[in-house]
Amino acid sequence: MKCEHVQKTLAVFLEGELTPDDRLMIQQHLAGCEVCRSELGLLTGQALQSLAAQAEPSPQAWSRLQARVARVPVAQVPMAKEAQPSSGWLSRWLSRLAPSGGSTPTHSLGDKTMNKRFGLTALVAVVAVAVAAILMAQNVPVVSAQQILDRASAAQSAVKSAQGINHIRIESYYTLHALEKNSTGLKTIVDSYLDYQTGNLRNITTHADTGKVLDAFAYDGANTYSTKGPLDSTSNESLTIYRSPQSREKVMANLYSGGGATVDFEQLFAEMRSDPQVTVEGKQTGADGRSVYVLSTQQLGKFLKDPNSVQTKRMFFDANTYRLLEEKATFQLAGKEIVVADMRYLVNETLPATSPVAWDLSDLQGVNIVDDTDRTQGDLLPEKITVQELAAHTKTGYLLKTIPAGFNLELEAPPKQDKETAYIYIASYRTEAGDYFVIQASGVPDDLTQGTAENAQCFNADRTITPCTATPPTGGKETYTTAAGLKVYFEEDTVTPDGKHYPEAAVKAPDGAAFLISSTLSRERVKALAEELVIAQ
Amino acid sequence: MNSLGDKRLPHVAPRSKIDQDAFADIFEQYKRLVYKTAYLMLGDSAEADEALQEVFVLVYKSLASYDPHKGAITTWLHRITINYCLGHRRKRQILTEPLEEARLVQLDEPIEASLVKAAERQEVRRAIMALSEKQRAVIILRYYWELPYNEVAQVLAIPVGTVKSRIDLALKTLSLKLVGPKIAHRKDVRPALECEV
């Protein structure tokens, strides 16, 4: 059937006047003809014009609105937030950007948020300038921690909705093994640009003192630039960066996979908000004269050598703009305060979309950029695979026995994987409504379940430390064993800004395979699905 | 939402500093943009009225931080409106008007005219409302507001490629709803085609 004929008679179809056979024929044509589908779109637009022509706001709309806004305090800026926490590749992909200096790539200010945020720092934007850490106590705070976090969240949302190139520069300091002697820590600068519209991005990690480039990742519209991991800060080598051709579509798809650029400050604030121990320590004046609110909480030093050490985490907010300026984790040792981690947000802005940025890293000094035309060294963006391909690649590729009703399965894996290490893949079960159950096999089974074991210690409200109970009411750590013997180590739930709890777990199978699960479903549902995990055939 | 009494915080701009006239202008100028999108998204005039209120309360709260140099206000408004509607998880009411009431359309009528009639008798409306919310959003932005792909992408904060594939999928679904076997019109049948991009 010819397009012309189809388009002429589309309207007739809408009226349902043709025979079932004709319908089928036209439908088949539409299924395979983009031109005619596009025509259908235009006709639909006209129909919508007609539909909406008579739709007018109520005459009382303005007076109602005036009454509503009269009760609204001005400083709130609650732009609608977007979707759920990311379980996307990018956060994993970019997690290498976290400062080096320790063996684990997941170090943080004391929780998992930092790692996620590191991966996605380029995706958020606020304007902030660092304050000196020397602060003087000022007056008694007049706001609660909750209010500060609400306002910080609102300020963040407002800038997040801005358009252009997001630019953020963070100075970060970590002492990963703070209880060890002679640990000096490492201070790095992470400078990130991201253009939402084009997908161009650039993340450079440099040594704060020497300026040496330790890690890089970028996309210039035609090539990705990636490394095999950050250089050790003491290394004399130059960083090797692989330039691999890659389509924009692929980069964009991964940029936004798993719900988009949503793991951000809001998420961090939400986690602080759900921590009952967060208090306003005071309103202080920084060395630059700026007023700063200080929030603090006590946490177990999860990444310190002594797991029972308690660290104080502080967040510093500009008291005028409510933007997060700094986060700092410290602990007390022999009467001295030792800094474990310190993140300072030096720049956090949205630049005009036309701003010149060297996406191709041509400005970097002291690095080797090597062409990787067949993408065997760098890039490693995942590509779609079939269940059969998964089974062919690995004998421990776990999937759900059947795709749950209402879900679709998308299976992806980075190409050209090293046969010596565990196979990396991601299986995403998603519903139209946005729920997901995602399996991520990261290729490093041993690391996955470390620190998530049964013997986790919990820090109590009365400041004592006891083993965590099996099922803490707030959704803390928990271990669940399936009938098949898979151990499911639940992490603390990810809490969204609107208070939803999303389970995350590391799973270890009897055969040694390990993978991560993240989901929007309830913990009970996740457990039920874990019972359905089988090796892909 | 937690409100914070601004009396206690002198650095918060007093309400009077927001230009009430400017807000009134914005409302007058863009109320139809918001209302019509909400009407098409939600399929109900009362709900569209409520959406109009909620969206402009958000606009009011955010106005001080809106920077016109960073993007068109229409993009911003589209985004807030669509986000409101996407989050408005009400029970979707698929219209169940009997198909027998369809008016006959003469074959020699121009396409536009017959489509208008189709709209009048809710055929298109029913098909649109049977799309997923996300698919409906792209169809409305692309074909009702006639936004270019890149602007739809900006509004929805998704890549242009995703916009294109989502639109195409929406059109496939739509074609199935509109011209497929009549069974596809029943609310209890959801074609397998209708999946997320």
Side-chain angles (χ1 to χ4, degrees):
Chain A
M1 184 174 286
K2 287 187 177 167
C3 291
E4 194 184 352
H5 180 64
V6 169
Q7 288 166 19
K8 271 190 178 171
T9 51
L10 261 178
V12 180
F13 281 103
L14 300 181
E15 293 304 313
E17 295 309 310
L18 293 192
T19 66
D21 284 352
D22 285 341
R23 278 181 167 272
L24 189 62
M25 212 149 55
I26 295 288
Q27 188 199 327
Q28 283 171 347
H29 178 90
L30 277 172
C33 177
E34 205 175 337
V35 175
C36 285
R37 281 202 301 278
S38 180
E39 181 68 17
L40 176 68
L42 295 175
L43 295 172
T44 303
Q46 290 166 7
L48 291 176
Q49 296 288 352
S50 165
L51 256 181
Q54 304 302 319
E56 286 290 327
S58 139
Q60 288 81 39
W62 174 243
S63 54
R64 272 186 71 200
L65 184 63
Q66 279 185 305
R68 291 275 308 270
V69 298
R71 301 192 295 269
V72 172
V74 171
Q76 298 172 7
V77 195
M79 287 286 291
K81 68 177 187 62
E82 287 148 20
Q84 66 267 24
S86 170
S87 56
W89 275 91
L90 192 72
S91 56
R92 299 186 68 74
W93 202 29
L94 297 186
S95 64
R96 286 181 293 161
L97 299 175
S100 56
S103 55
T104 167
T106 55
H107 48 257
S108 78
L109 278 198
D111 59 27
K112 58 194 172 181
T113 313
M114 189 60 66
N115 183 40
K116 286 181 184 173
R117 194 150 40 84
F118 239 114
L120 292 161
T121 42
L123 310 183
V124 292
V126 288
V127 179
V129 182
V131 288
I134 306 160
L135 299 158
M136 310 185 311
Q138 205 183 43
N139 50 9
V140 179
V142 293
V143 290
S144 69
Q146 178 78 26
Q147 289 167 331
I148 290 171
L149 289 167
D150 283 347
R151 291 193 161 207
S153 208
Q156 189 61 54
S157 309
V159 186
K160 192 175 160 191
S161 65
Q163 292 167 22
I165 299 170
N166 295 150
H167 176 210
I168 180 165
R169 185 183 300 139
I170 303 174
E171 180 191 272
S172 76
Y173 171 79
Y174 285 97
T175 312
L176 286 172
H177 303 280
L179 294 184
E180 284 179 354
K181 286 178 184 170
N182 304 323
S183 174
T184 53
L186 173 67
K187 194 185 279 183
T188 55
I189 306 279
V190 181
D191 199 29
S192 309
Y193 295 83
L194 180 114
D195 185 334
Y196 277 112
Q197 266 63 57
T198 65
N200 286 2
L201 55 93
R202 171 189 159 115
N203 290 264
I204 307 296
T205 305
T206 51
H207 195 295
D209 299 331
T210 64
K212 184 180 168 75
V213 179
L214 298 178
D215 205 2
F217 178 74
Y219 182 66
D220 66 2
N223 302 287
T224 58
Y225 297 78
S226 61
T227 68
K228 296 202 165 180
L231 276 188
D232 189 282
S233 60
T234 57
S235 168
N236 291 323
E237 295 168 27
S238 300
L239 183 69
T240 298
I241 299 171
Y242 298 96
R243 175 166 48 210
S244 321
Q246 186 54 277
S247 71
R248 191 184 297 284
E249 197 175 19
K250 172 71 84 178
V251 171
M252 293 289 270
N254 283 283
L255 204 57
Y256 288 93
S257 66
T262 54
V263 181
D264 55 14
F265 290 98
E266 281 179 42
Q267 173 67 27
L268 178 73
F269 299 153
E271 291 190 14
M272 283 292 272
R273 198 183 273 126
S274 68
D275 179 348
Q277 296 188 69
V278 173
T279 55
V280 184
E281 200 169 279
K283 189 177 181 186
Q284 308 178 325
T285 304
D288 60 354
R290 174 196 302 242
S291 287
V292 176
Y293 283 123
V294 185
L295 264 54
S296 72
T297 185
Q298 306 285 319
Q299 298 178 330
L300 269 180
K302 291 178 192 168
F303 296 94
L304 296 177
K305 201 172 178 186
D306 175 1
N308 290 330
S309 65
V310 176
Q311 66 183 28
T312 301
K313 179 176 167 183
R314 291 190 176 85
M315 296 173 97
F316 301 84
F317 293 89
D318 185 306
N320 287 308
T321 63
Y322 289 93
R323 280 163 181 162
L324 181 63
L325 301 174
E326 184 176 357
E327 287 176 89
K328 197 172 182 179
T330 59
F331 72 99
Q332 298 288 331
L333 184 67
K336 272 177 65 181
E337 186 170 74
I338 296 183
V339 178
V340 185
D342 191 6
M343 305 270 297
R344 299 206 290 156
Y345 300 88
L346 304 181
V347 177
N348 215 331
E349 63 188 357
T350 302
L351 302 169
T354 51
S355 308
V357 176
W359 304 111
D360 62 359
L361 309 186
S362 54
D363 59 324
L364 288 191
Q365 307 279 318
V367 297
N368 304 316
I369 297 184
V370 177
D371 273 315
D372 171 45
T373 48
D374 55 357
R375 278 190 272 139
T376 51
Q377 303 297 315
D379 195 312
L380 296 182
L381 275 180
E383 292 173 0
K384 278 184 189 168
I385 58 166
T386 64
V387 174
Q388 290 73 26
E389 283 167 326
L390 175 68
H393 279 295
T394 174
K395 290 186 167 42
T396 57
Y398 279 83
L399 293 176
L400 294 175
K401 198 170 174 182
T402 51
I403 299 174
F407 284 76
N408 292 299
L409 169 63
E410 185 169 284
L411 203 50
E412 291 180 297
K416 294 167 186 162
Q417 294 189 37
D418 183 355
K419 288 193 168 54
E420 300 301 308
T421 54
Y423 190 71
I424 300 171
Y425 68 94
I426 179 166
S428 308
Y429 298 86
R430 293 178 188 279
T431 68
E432 181 83 2
D435 278 327
Y436 60 79
F437 177 86
V438 175
I439 297 168
Q440 289 186 22
S442 79
V444 278
D446 287 345
D447 288 357
L448 281 181
T449 49
Q450 267 180 17
T452 58
E454 294 95 329
N455 299 325
Q457 300 282 302
C458 282
F459 187 76
N460 305 314
D462 62 0
R463 311 214 160 191
T464 57
I465 297 168
T466 53
C468 298
T469 53
T471 317
T474 53
K477 293 188 175 187
E478 176 189 359
T479 303
Y480 174 78
T481 308
T482 70
L486 277 73
K487 293 246 180 201
V488 185
Y489 301 103
F490 283 98
E491 272 290 300
E492 283 163 23
D493 293 349
T494 295
V495 183
T496 64
D498 54 358
K500 286 184 186 136
H501 284 250
Y502 291 160
E504 292 189 6
V507 179
K508 195 155 192 176
D511 58 17
F515 48 90
L516 297 172
I517 287 176
S518 53
S519 180
T520 55
L521 305 172
S522 69
R523 222 177 240 216
E524 291 313 307
R525 184 86 197 278
V526 168
K527 286 178 193 171
L529 288 174
E531 294 287 354
E532 301 288 311
L533 286 165
V534 292
I535 294 171
Q537 300 293 334
Chain B
M1 198 172 307
N2 293 284
S3 76
L4 178 56
D6 34 355
K7 282 180 204 158
R8 294 190 296 174
L9 289 164
H11 55 269
V12 174
R15 194 170 297 133
S16 59
K17 284 202 179 163
I18 281 202
D19 189 337
Q20 293 290 345
D21 290 343
F23 182 63
D25 286 349
I26 288 170
F27 179 79
E28 195 50 40
Q29 199 171 343
Y30 297 110
K31 65 183 180 189
R32 283 182 187 82
L33 179 150
V34 171
Y35 182 84
K36 287 178 190 273
T37 297
Y39 177 74
L40 293 172
M41 279 296 290
L42 303 171
D44 182 274
S45 54
E47 291 195 45
D49 266 322
E50 194 52 37
L52 181 69
Q53 295 291 316
E54 295 297 330
V55 166
F56 272 96
V57 168
L58 282 177
V59 168
Y60 182 82
K61 291 173 180 172
S62 319
L63 207 53
S65 62
Y66 171 71
D67 181 352
H69 300 296
K70 289 178 178 170
I73 191 165
T74 49
T75 305
W76 187 56
L77 287 168
H78 276 308
R79 179 183 306 157
I80 303 175
T81 309
I82 293 288
N83 279 344
Y84 172 84
C85 294
L86 290 178
H88 192 77
R89 288 183 182 275
R90 66 192 185 80
K91 283 182 187 171
R92 183 184 300 160
Q93 294 175 347
I94 297 178
L95 300 171
T96 53
E97 182 191 0
L99 294 167
E100 293 71 38
E101 291 175 15
R103 280 194 302 161
L104 289 176
V105 173
Q106 299 302 314
L107 282 170
D108 56 356
E109 276 188 309
I111 289 170
E112 292 81 358
S114 53
L115 259 173
V116 166
K117 287 178 184 173
E120 283 170 3
R121 66 175 193 73
Q122 308 293 337
E123 187 83 33
V124 171
R125 180 193 178 105
R126 182 190 289 115
I128 287 284
M129 290 308 290
L131 292 176
S132 74
E133 290 176 323
K134 287 180 178 176
Q135 291 181 354
R136 208 180 311 147
V138 289
I139 291 291
I140 290 167
L141 292 172
R142 179 74 186 97
Y143 293 112
Y144 179 74
W145 292 110
E146 298 176 354
L147 300 186
Y149 287 118
N150 62 352
E151 203 173 333
V152 177
Q154 283 177 22
V155 169
L156 299 176
I158 57 176
V160 172
T162 305
V163 169
K164 288 180 179 168
S165 56
R166 192 175 288 172
I167 285 175
D168 198 50
L169 192 61
L171 289 174
K172 283 178 181 166
T173 311
L174 206 55
S175 70
L176 203 64
K177 304 278 183 200
L178 286 169
V179 307
K182 281 298 181 191
I183 193 167
H185 289 298
R186 289 193 193 153
K187 63 180 173 182
D188 56 343
V189 175
R190 292 179 64 79
L193 184 64
E194 196 178 6
C195 59
E196 187 49 82
V197 187

